Amino acid sequence: MSFADLTLPVVRPRYRGAFWRLYKGEVGISLRRRRNLALLAVLSAIPLMIGIAVYLSTPRAGDGPAFLGQITGNGLFLVFTALTVCIPVFLPLVVGVVSGDSIAGEAGSGTLRYLLTVPVTRTRLLVAKTLGVATFTALAVAVVAVVGLVTGAVLFGLGNVTLLSGDTVSLGTGLLRALGVSAYVMVALFGLAAGGMFISTLTENAIAAMATTIGLVMVSALLDAVPQLSAIHGVLLTHNWLGFGEFLRSNVDTAAVLRWSALHLAYAAVFLSLAWARLQSKDVTS
Amino acid sequence: MTTSPRSLRRRAAWSAPVLTAAAIGAATLLPSAASASPHPKLPAKTAAQLLAAVQSSDVSTLSGTIVETARLGLPSLPGTNSSAALTWQTLVSGTHTARVWFNGVDQQRLAVLGQLSESDVVHNGRNVWTYASDTQAVAHTLLPANAEKSAATSATKAENLQKYTPQGAAAAALQAITPSTQVAVDPTARVAGQPAYTLVLTPRDTRSTVRKVAIAIDATHNVPLRVQVFGAGAAPAFETAFTNISYQAPAASVFAFTPPSGAKVTNDVLGTAAQKKAADKLGTKIKTGTAKVSPTVVGTGWTSVLVLPASTAGSSPLSALTSGSTSSKGDSPTAVLSHLTTTLPSGDKLLSSALINVLLAKDGRVLVGAVSPSVLEQAAAGQPG
């Protein structure tokens, strides 16, 4: 029998509320960090700039990104235009920075080992971190949507919504559909956030983790653009990100939306289980 | 040396992602494998029985999703990939998805889906509406009251689009059945989840570029579910198929179309006195030879060749090629096509694809057919314009 087998089992006392405090701490830190606030400011500037630009010069129908021509008639379309513009680059950038920093940032600055001394297991730490990243991801999407909605309402007013199919629905239904669009984008980006967290467990260099996470998006988008690879397009990370357009058709194909969402969540499950395994087996020295 | 429990635990942790991935893989693959075998064994049927069943099919209500794929060997044309525009460019390259709703002869809706765009054709009684989300343009056609029963035939756009639905494409292909065709039935297909017979048409004439046409027909509802046209390659050069289908009557709201406020609406009324006058005028023009000469068809069956005289071809995008113009911009469809043409010894130009060959004759005529280039050349020589 080796000496290692004689080590006593580690008994961690369980304090009530420790997990909740950990989660609150995660969200609090990410919201106080100046870099993250700057990212949110950039995100909120995008719908604002599009709104002002459209206000100053009315675009013709069919110009620019999708829905741009409809903003002047209904400010709600600024939400959809802003999300369409933000989803390929700006939102993944924000998600990549926050998720890439989540573990590697702590390891790099030498605070991860102190975090592991609080009375929670590594699993719970990962769960708290994941929830923190998910919260920030949702917040980033919400910032784009809410600033878009407010800017659009102030500059152009709100009204009945013309769907992609040409049918018109009431403003209330339109707002519900905008909510569906935002929720879908949040779920889609959560798959990427989980990828960022896994990459973040692999290194102590937060910048490398962030860059790799954003690289993940670029590689996926690149593969998606090669027609010869059409066989694998359906399962690529970024392929269905613009699937939120489904919410703007008269007859929403819920089966398709659920299928795409399941794919995003499957990515999240695989990446998070990888992150968990890596964290369990990792020697935390810093 | 023994392995400590800690390092064992560490290694065991990695089984979690493996199990997660395996569970997801099983969840995606098992339902499709368990639902039914991909190759059902249906009772044998002759081609004649199958065609009769299709003719007598009483299905008048259905809704579903159609995916159309063209692999003609042409590069994807500019600006057509994610667009839902109803143009010829969108249908000759890449994959396109559409949803259809049918409720008898009086109510149909077709929606061509783009990523963040959609084009709709809604036929409801005497009204035919088209809407394109890209331009937000609405076109409204009021059909003549007395022709309500054959209304679908008057709606030109709806009719054009029907050629790309399995029903329309099957009807067109079945018309081509002549003694020139070998017909076989394969009772082992499954399309859109439905067991189906496949009618396989093989041209006997080897000069046709069409190797075979396969039409899958729903075994219980006798509705064509898939049409595949095979050229030289293993994958079909053109394919249109339902990916899911339901035979329940669609909700009435699907066919109720009100143009969005603020959209430009162009109105058209078919069957009015003014239109008849215009048609009569055109008739006299054609008789007196002042109108453009209409295209002619040379040959029969699979080796038919469509000949566009120089004057009508003059307005087509292909005409720029015959004059050898290189001034067009690099990203225009004309410029893309010009890279694909080869000049024949005779001086004519040939545009070759996996299914259709196009001969651009020196004299400005354009010959189109699903035939080998030599047939086109013969047709060009035999019918001087």
Side-chain angles (χ1 to χ4, degrees):
Chain A
M1 190 181 264
S2 72
F3 181 69
D5 292 339
L6 293 173
T7 49
L8 289 167
V10 182
V11 180
R12 287 174 189 271
R14 294 183 71 169
Y15 297 105
R16 290 186 65 197
F19 176 76
W20 177 240
R21 274 204 303 281
L22 198 64
Y23 167 68
K24 273 204 298 190
E26 283 301 321
V27 176
I29 289 168
S30 65
L31 283 183
R32 277 193 297 276
R33 192 160 278 174
R34 233 182 264 168
R35 178 182 64 200
N36 294 355
L37 290 177
L39 286 171
L40 289 182
V42 169
L43 279 182
S44 61
I46 290 166
L48 209 60
M49 284 193 301
I50 297 173
I52 293 169
V54 169
Y55 189 71
L56 294 178
S57 89
T58 309
R60 282 173 305 153
D63 276 354
F67 314 115
L68 192 72
Q70 277 150 290
I71 295 175
T72 43
N74 186 348
L76 184 59
F77 278 97
L78 187 53
V79 175
F80 307 133
T81 312
L83 283 173
T84 311
V85 169
C86 288
I87 214 171
V89 180
F90 295 107
L91 280 170
L93 197 75
V94 173
V95 171
V97 166
V98 175
S99 62
D101 187 52
S102 59
I103 311 278
E106 304 267 13
S109 62
T111 48
L112 187 57
R113 55 182 157 161
Y114 298 116
L115 258 186
L116 292 175
T117 60
V118 296
V120 288
T121 60
R122 290 186 180 195
T123 308
R124 289 187 147 220
L125 175 71
L126 182 71
V127 172
K129 287 257 179 211
T130 309
L131 288 178
V133 170
T135 306
F136 196 86
T137 303
L139 187 70
V141 177
V143 161
V144 176
V146 170
V147 173
L149 183 65
V150 172
T151 311
V154 169
L155 291 180
F156 310 103
L158 299 173
N160 289 347
V161 180
T162 303
L163 301 173
L164 286 175
S165 317
D167 298 304
T168 308
V169 295
S170 68
L171 177 61
T173 314
L175 284 170
L176 272 180
R177 284 174 182 254
L179 210 62
V181 166
S182 310
Y184 179 83
V185 174
M186 288 172 189
V187 171
L189 288 173
F190 182 58
L192 172 70
M197 293 200 63
F198 168 56
I199 294 166
S200 190
T201 60
L202 299 175
T203 172
E204 293 184 0
N205 186 340
I207 304 292
M210 296 174 195
T212 312
T213 309
I214 295 157
L216 212 62
V217 178
M218 288 176 177
V219 169
S220 172
L222 205 71
L223 294 177
D224 207 13
V226 180
Q228 281 78 6
L229 298 175
S230 59
I232 60 158
H233 281 177
V235 294
L236 286 176
L237 181 66
T238 59
H239 183 71
N240 296 315
W241 278 9
L242 287 177
F244 69 76
E246 198 58 46
F247 285 97
L248 300 174
R249 303 192 197 282
S250 293
N251 302 280
V252 180
D253 187 350
T254 28
V257 172
L258 289 177
R259 208 167 55 239
W260 299 332
S261 302
L263 179 72
H264 303 317
L265 293 177
Y267 265 109
V270 170
F271 278 134
L272 286 176
S273 61
L274 279 168
W276 179 82
R278 170 68 186 155
L279 208 59
Q280 289 297 311
S281 54
K282 184 176 183 164
D283 280 318
V284 176
T285 53
S286 58
Chain B
M1 191 190 134
T2 51
T3 326
S4 74
R6 169 122 179 87
S7 79
L8 264 179
R9 225 176 30 241
R10 285 180 180 195
R11 268 187 226 167
W14 285 102
S15 62
V18 175
L19 288 174
T20 310
I24 290 167
T28 32
L29 295 179
L30 280 185
S32 59
S35 66
S37 76
H39 297 296
K41 285 268 186 301
L42 296 166
K45 255 190 193 181
T46 65
Q49 282 173 325
L50 204 55
L51 291 176
V54 172
Q55 292 277 310
S56 62
S57 171
D58 58 352
V59 172
S60 60
T61 62
L62 66 83
S63 59
T65 307
I66 294 172
V67 174
E68 177 262 342
T69 306
R71 299 181 194 87
L72 295 178
L74 301 171
S76 71
L77 298 172
T80 58
N81 263 342
S82 60
S83 162
L86 299 169
T87 61
W88 63 272
Q89 286 104 323
T90 43
L91 293 167
V92 298
S93 66
T95 295
H96 299 90
T97 307
R99 289 201 194 123
V100 289
W101 296 264
F102 284 87
N103 188 15
V105 287
D106 286 343
Q107 292 185 313
Q108 295 104 33
R109 181 170 190 149
L110 177 129
V112 180
L113 311 185
Q115 206 157 39
L116 291 175
S117 58
E118 189 174 318
S119 290
D120 282 62
V121 181
V122 186
H123 168 223
N124 192 355
R126 285 187 65 197
N127 300 294
V128 176
W129 298 93
T130 67
Y131 176 80
S133 72
D134 284 343
T135 54
Q136 286 181 265
V138 179
H140 177 224
T141 309
L142 193 65
L143 305 173
N146 54 0
E148 217 167 275
K149 280 197 179 130
S150 62
T153 52
S154 320
T156 46
K157 240 187 181 159
E159 187 195 35
N160 274 335
L161 285 160
Q162 287 218 332
K163 284 181 192 160
Y164 300 99
T165 65
Q167 287 101 322
L174 293 183
Q175 271 178 6
I177 297 182
T178 58
S180 63
T181 313
Q182 198 182 340
V183 182
V185 176
D186 171 23
T188 60
R190 185 178 288 279
V191 181
Q194 317 282 333
Y197 291 96
T198 311
L199 190 67
V200 184
L201 312 173
T202 314
R204 293 211 166 90
D205 196 328
T206 51
R207 291 174 304 163
S208 169
T209 50
V210 177
R211 187 158 53 85
K212 65 175 180 185
V213 176
I215 304 165
I217 294 158
D218 189 317
T220 44
H221 298 91
N222 302 313
V223 168
L225 295 176
R226 181 178 67 194
V227 173
Q228 295 168 308
V229 182
F230 290 83
F238 180 84
E239 175 172 17
T240 176
F242 278 104
T243 53
N244 64 59
I245 189 165
S246 152
Y247 293 100
Q248 277 168 349
S253 61
V254 168
F255 307 106
F257 187 86
T258 319
S261 61
K264 304 166 286 187
V265 181
T266 48
N267 281 296
D268 195 7
V269 181
L270 289 183
T272 57
Q275 275 199 330
K276 271 182 194 151
K277 241 183 211 172
D280 289 345
K281 247 188 193 172
L282 190 70
T284 41
K285 258 191 185 174
I286 289 172
K287 272 180 205 155
T288 54
T290 47
K292 288 171 180 174
V293 191
S294 53
T296 52
V297 177
V298 179
T300 56
W302 294 99
T303 51
S304 309
V305 173
L306 181 72
V307 183
L308 303 166
S311 53
T312 47
S315 59
S316 80
L318 295 167
S319 62
L321 300 173
T322 49
S323 55
S325 101
T326 50
S327 59
S328 51
K329 280 179 191 160
D331 60 348
S332 75
T334 314
V336 174
L337 287 174
S338 72
H339 290 297
L340 298 166
T341 54
T342 48
T343 308
L344 299 171
S346 60
D348 300 337
K349 283 185 179 166
L350 179 75
L351 180 99
S352 194
S353 79
L355 206 58
I356 308 285
N357 286 318
V358 180
L359 186 78
L360 308 156
K362 277 178 299 188
D363 54 17
R365 286 177 305 152
V366 177
L367 292 90
V368 186
V371 292
S372 60
S374 62
V375 179
L376 287 179
E377 283 187 282
Q378 276 168 22
Q383 228 222 8

